[in-house]
Amino acid sequence: MPPPPPPPLPPLCLSLPSPPPPQIFPRRLRSHKTRRGLSLAPNASTRRPSSVCPVASQRHSDYFDPRAPPPPPRRREAYGMPPSSPPAAPGAQNGRVFSTYSIYKGKAALSLDPRPPQFVPLDSGAYKMAKEGFVLLQFAPAVATRQYDWTRKQVFSLSVWEMGSVLTLGPTDSCEFFHDPFKGRSDEGKVRKVLKVEPTPDGNSRFFNLSVQNRLLNVDESIYIPITKGEFAVIVSTFNYIIPHLMGWGTFTNSIKPEDSQAYTKPQSGPEFEWRR
């Protein structure tokens, strides 16, 4: 009898090393077309060498991590710019805002600059207005076409009541104001300023005429500028708006707080309590 066949050998189990974990790049990988479709990873022929991995790891991620701290701000000096100044404190001198309204004509220019009122502190911590504000009129003569000599300007401070007089002018009315900066002093009468606001002969515009006689500097000059109807309407609108602020009323209304007011009580009857109604 032939010998029995040998028993089958057990299957061989080869322990192959596990593949290395895939490298994750911070940037998104482009898709590459194959014959079977789209592949999310490049094949072996298009894979970059390992020497470029450190460079790729330095790129910024496409995803934003809100837990990451913000990058430090770059200094202005790095761009060749002067360092930025710190923000001004409320009420500081460099935090003031200047505004003006200017009118330019062939022979002169006129600039209107509002100046705020002055306040003084009280022992209680509150403030009281010590001096009303005003609007400074600045007249500059023309030296060439669209060129004005502001070093030779003449100024006139228009008070609140003088602005009210300008607001009440009719189409054919005129007004005149006289100022002596040294009134009540030893140099009284040596400087005289007269401002006239009068209508033009056709009645469609007005003239602002400033005459200055200064014997201290030996100056005798008169500057006038025509103001159209539209420009005068802007002046009227500006005066109507700025007058309450020059009187301190705008500051007062901004300081009103509901928690600072007294509790409302029903007024008693009688003529002496009429103002409470």
Side-chain angles (χ1 to χ4, degrees), residues 114-115 134-135 160 163 237-248:
R115 300 301 169 90
F134 57 91
V135 171
V160 171
M163 285 185 283
S237 178
T238 304
F239 285 178
N240 281 320
Y241 172 80
I242 200 64
I243 283 178
H245 297 276
L246 300 180
M247 298 173 59

Side-chain angles (χ1 to χ4, degrees), residues 19-30:
Q23 296 183 359
I24 301 177
F25 294 90
R27 61 185 181 88
R28 295 180 180 177
L29 299 178
R30 297 180 179 178

Side-chain angles (χ1 to χ4, degrees), residues 143-214:
V143 294
T145 304
R146 297 183 180 181
Q147 295 182 8
Y148 306 89
D149 189 359
W150 292 99
T151 60
R152 294 171 47 199
K153 67 181 180 180
Q154 299 293 341
V155 299
F156 192 91
S157 301
L158 208 61
S159 64
V160 171
W161 77 267
E162 290 171 339
M163 285 185 283
S165 301
V166 175
L167 293 176
T168 58
L169 291 178
T172 59
D173 297 336
S174 61
C175 59
E176 180 177 338
F177 308 109
F178 169 76
H179 283 187
D180 185 352
F182 298 100
K183 186 176 182 179
R185 306 179 187 177
S186 58
D187 293 332
E188 181 177 354
K190 295 182 180 181
V191 178
R192 297 170 54 89
K193 297 183 179 182
V194 179
L195 175 65
K196 295 182 180 180
V197 181
E198 50 191 1
T200 56
D202 56 4
N204 293 328
S205 58
R206 297 180 183 273
F207 278 120
F208 276 58
N209 186 2
L210 177 62
S211 301
V212 178
Q213 296 179 357
N214 191 335

Side-chain angles (χ1 to χ4, degrees), residues 109-123:
L110 172 61
S111 176
L112 292 81
D113 301 321
R115 300 301 169 90
Q118 298 179 7
F119 297 87
V120 294
L122 301 178
D123 297 337

